Amino acid sequence: MSQNLEYLQSKAAALPRVPGVYIMENENGTVIYVGKSRSLRDRVSQYFHGFHDGKTSKMAAAVRDFRFITCDTEMEALALENSLIKQYTPRYNIKLKDAKSYPYIKLSVRDRYPRITMSRKRVPDGSLYFGPYSSTQTVYTVIASLERTLGIPSCKKKFPDDIGKSRPCVYKQIGRCIGVCTGDVSEAEYRERIDQAAQILRGGTRETIQTLSEKMYKCAEEMLFEEAARCRDTIEALRKLSEKQKAVGSPDVECDVIGLYMKHFGDEASFRDCASVFYVRSGYIADSEHFLFGNEEILPEWDDENEIDSPLLAFLVSLYQSREFIPNEILLSFELPENDLWLLTNYITDRAGHKVVIRTPKRGGSRYLCEMAVSDAKTHSENARKREAGEEKMLVHLASLLQLEVLPQRIEAYDISNLGTEHITAGMVTAIDGKLTKSDYRTFKIKSQAGQDDYGAMRETILRRLNHITGDPEAKEALECLPDLILLDGGVGHVHTVREAMAEMGFDIPVFGMVKDEFHKTRTLTDGESEINIARQMDVFRFIYGLQEEVHRYTVGRMMNAKRKTLKTSTLEKIHGIGPAKAKLLMEHMGTLTAIKKADVETLAAIPGISRTDAEAVYTYYRQGNTPKKG
């Protein structure tokens, strides 16, 4: 028995048998797991005695020490555990995106002409908010469907200010918009459309169709055939919209359904557990999302009858801490230990502000919904496993071609872009386990006077990048991690430049240049001495080609953004009394040059650092375009 294991067993045996939270740390002092228990001594001791599944054993083997916090109640421990998981984002805990990441649909009902928009925040401004939804893509799809179905404007015009100021756009001509800008649509008629949108978002598509049908027949009787035709077209559009939704029950069915699929595919690296969540509203699956739990994220050991602390409980708590609306019923495909179910029910009931029933149905329509969710989770799990197998196979081929000692789990690609001697920008694109990881992309604005010297710019980039590496295997910040492979959008000269820079700092990382042919397509990789043909290994070729295109797109895009900002600022600097500092202030407060052009004097003068004289000069310049620059 190792000395460290004896220490951990002894420390765990001395813990009190009270509710609390335990915090596991590795040899670097990094938090790798947070858990809660109603008996700290019993739960923590389990990690250092007996046998566990592969993931739990791997976590326990990495523990060098632990801390603990006692609590008065299990409910208090549950809330503290969730807070600490968000604070530390431990490697072995199930992690969900934070509540602020979930988008909402916002109806600004207090405005004279309300609009439908996406919002990341739910604020008490009198607007109606629906959601949260699983992704912005879902939100924009729903908004587009409502605008198209109900003829609600999707343009940026402000009503009533812009009514009658310009000709209606093509959407009015093709019947996609009712044309508020023409002045032919009353506020009452527009408000009716918004009320219909709100009813649909609440799940009342059937009620909206019924109301429109009654109105259509009434208009027909009164010989208002144009209005009756509009109702008919809207009803047809709503029916098509409802056909795209999957009906799973009667109109009064409103619940969340959580299905869990757990599978071991033959070896530890093949774990891919998944949970699918269906949000059923008015009998339809209004939204859904799935959560793939990584190879290292720990789920319950189902064979352990004495399971005290279920990580699945932490997942469910985190899921509902992120949601504004919680229905009266939550259906689970699995059973929680009685104590965990009691804790979860009380926690979510308190969070929702009304009684919430959480149950595992055994038969009937509710059980069918759970089985649907499990089937969906299984599909996502198996698809993820297939993708991972393909990506791992590609990395094996890449490592073989480049004669690497290890599989390149973290690959970084670099490119340099500039406009002459201005805005010299280096972009870093990252692929982890064969997948592009946009959160790890980084931009380097070249500070040295390198001019159009690509080699000098690349040297500065790599030196600055290497300065951030900490050597901590648990590092989370992109620049602190050590790459397994560096790829450069360039040839032999770039490779030699980067190798020299790395040697100066004591790093030895494999570096290759991505060489393009005369058609600007990836041809080969070069190690600085010879070229390696990748065309015959199609999976490697597709990966390298995609990586090179991505790093070029990203770098050019960042460089052009910098150029556009300069152009906007330089335009402002043509105005009498506006220098670089005030131009920057205006852009920071107004956001865009268009907003500055449209702003009135009072709005501009309200910006700290901008005098009324400055505001009048800006206002006059963009209305008349003839105010000269002083001097």
Side-chain angles (χ1 to χ4, degrees), residues 261-273:
Y261 177 74
M262 300 178 69
K263 178 70 176 180
H264 191 289
F265 290 101
D267 57 75
E268 185 179 338
S270 297
F271 271 108
R272 182 50 83 186
D273 304 324

Side-chain angles (χ1 to χ4, degrees), residues 272 379-392:
R272 182 50 83 186
T379 300
H380 285 296
S381 171
E382 292 178 344
N383 288 344
R385 183 175 62 89
K386 290 174 184 176
R387 284 195 305 271
E388 288 173 353
E391 288 154 358
E392 184 175 358

Side-chain angles (χ1 to χ4, degrees), residues 126-139:
S127 299
L128 292 179
Y129 288 87
F130 299 90
Y133 289 84
S134 57
S135 67
T136 55
Q137 181 181 1
T138 301
V139 167

Side-chain angles (χ1 to χ4, degrees), residues 548-573:
Q548 190 170 26
E549 290 294 300
E550 176 68 359
V551 72
H552 181 71
R553 177 202 66 79
Y554 175 74
T555 308
V556 170
R558 302 296 290 188
M559 182 270 295
M560 292 304 296
N561 282 341
K563 179 64 177 174
R564 278 192 289 269
K565 288 179 181 178
T566 301
L567 289 173
K568 291 174 181 177
T569 304
S570 63
T571 301
L572 288 166
E573 290 174 29

Side-chain angles (χ1 to χ4, degrees), residues 289-323:
E289 55 187 328
H290 67 275
F291 303 90
L292 287 164
F293 306 128
N295 297 334
E296 295 174 332
E297 293 171 332
I298 300 173
L299 278 175
E301 299 177 45
W302 293 99
D303 294 333
D304 184 357
E305 296 180 358
N306 297 317
E307 179 71 31
I308 297 174
D309 165 33
S310 166
L312 193 56
L313 181 61
F315 161 71
L316 294 169
V317 167
S318 183
L319 176 66
Y320 282 99
Q321 192 177 53
S322 303
R323 303 196 67 81

Side-chain angles (χ1 to χ4, degrees), residues 16-305:
R17 283 193 171 96
V18 297
V21 174
Y22 53 92
I23 304 159
M24 303 290 198
E25 298 175 343
N26 67 4
E27 59 186 358
N28 298 311
T30 302
V31 175
I32 59 173
Y33 188 71
V34 173
K36 74 106 189 100
S37 178
R38 56 183 167 185
S39 173
L40 283 171
R41 182 192 300 180
D42 295 339
R43 180 54 180 163
V44 176
S45 294
Q46 284 184 355
Y47 286 107
F48 311 119
H49 292 87
F51 297 95
H52 305 278
D53 67 10
K55 290 184 279 190
T56 306
S57 296
K58 187 176 180 181
M59 185 277 291
V63 175
R64 292 296 176 269
D65 204 350
F66 63 84
R67 294 180 279 127
F68 67 94
I69 302 171
T70 60
C71 299
D72 293 331
T73 64
E74 282 188 80
M75 191 68 71
E76 183 183 329
L78 188 67
L80 179 58
E81 176 196 31
N82 189 54
S83 175
L84 291 175
I85 290 173
K86 288 189 174 183
Q87 178 182 341
Y88 292 114
T89 60
R91 179 176 181 177
Y92 292 97
N93 280 99
I94 297 169
K95 295 172 282 291
L96 298 184
K97 55 187 176 183
D98 197 37
K100 64 183 179 184
S101 299
Y102 283 96
Y104 296 84
I105 292 178
K106 175 182 177 180
L107 265 65
S108 55
V109 291
R110 282 193 172 182
D111 297 342
R112 285 180 61 186
Y113 288 84
R115 302 299 288 265
I116 308 176
T117 57
M118 189 276 287
S119 175
R120 286 283 186 185
K121 294 181 180 180
R122 180 168 180 159
V123 296
D125 58 357
S127 299
L128 292 179
Y129 288 87
F130 299 90
Y133 289 84
S134 57
S135 67
T136 55
Q137 181 181 1
T138 301
V139 167
Y140 286 125
T141 299
V142 172
I143 291 175
S145 297
L146 289 172
E147 290 173 343
R148 183 170 57 252
T149 302
L150 300 174
I152 296 170
S154 59
C155 60
K156 301 299 182 184
K157 292 179 180 177
K158 294 184 177 181
F159 304 122
D161 297 348
D162 293 334
I163 291 178
K165 287 188 177 180
S166 61
R167 295 176 59 187
C169 66
V170 67
Y171 286 124
K172 165 63 177 172
Q173 299 170 22
I174 64 175
R176 286 272 300 272
C177 177
I178 57 177
V180 180
C181 58
T182 63
D184 298 333
V185 180
S186 67
E187 285 188 41
E189 184 180 351
Y190 183 80
R191 176 68 65 167
E192 184 180 0
R193 302 276 174 144
I194 293 297
D195 290 343
Q196 290 168 0
Q199 190 172 36
I200 293 168
L201 288 169
R202 293 189 184 100
T205 305
R206 292 186 181 92
E207 291 81 355
T208 304
I209 290 175
Q210 183 178 349
T211 301
L212 285 169
S213 297
E214 293 171 357
K215 182 179 179 181
M216 179 180 68
Y217 292 126
K218 183 178 180 181
C219 288
E221 289 175 1
E222 297 175 359
M223 292 190 291
L224 300 173
F225 299 118
E226 190 174 338
E227 181 62 25
R230 276 202 290 267
C231 291
R232 178 202 62 202
D233 293 343
T234 304
I235 290 169
E236 183 62 25
L238 284 172
R239 282 176 176 157
K240 288 181 179 178
L241 181 65
S242 64
E243 286 171 4
K244 295 179 182 178
Q245 298 175 305
K246 186 172 182 63
V248 293
S250 61
D252 60 341
V253 174
E254 189 161 286
C255 62
D256 289 353
V257 185
I258 303 174
L260 179 65
Y261 177 74
M262 300 178 69
K263 178 70 176 180
H264 191 289
F265 290 101
D267 57 75
E268 185 179 338
S270 297
F271 271 108
R272 182 50 83 186
D273 304 324
C274 182
S276 281
V277 186
F278 292 164
Y279 302 105
V280 182
R281 304 292 181 263
S282 299
Y284 288 98
I285 298 178
D287 193 15
S288 66
E289 55 187 328
H290 67 275
F291 303 90
L292 287 164
F293 306 128
N295 297 334
E296 295 174 332
E297 293 171 332
I298 300 173
L299 278 175
E301 299 177 45
W302 293 99
D303 294 333
D304 184 357
E305 296 180 358

Side-chain angles (χ1 to χ4, degrees), residues 392-449:
E392 184 175 358
K393 186 177 179 181
M394 180 276 297
L395 291 175
V396 170
H397 290 158
L398 179 61
S400 177
L401 279 172
L402 303 184
Q403 297 182 5
L404 304 177
E405 295 181 359
V406 296
L407 283 186
Q409 290 184 310
R410 182 182 180 88
I411 301 174
E412 295 178 358
Y414 294 84
D415 190 17
I416 304 293
S417 184
N418 59 280
L419 286 174
T421 59
E422 294 184 333
H423 307 293
I424 305 171
T425 304
M428 181 188 94
V429 163
T430 306
I432 297 177
D433 293 329
K435 296 184 286 290
L436 292 172
T437 308
K438 293 189 175 182
S439 60
D440 278 16
Y441 288 13
R442 292 295 182 271
T443 306
F444 300 86
K445 295 180 181 179
I446 302 304
K447 300 174 182 178
S448 63
Q449 299 299 317

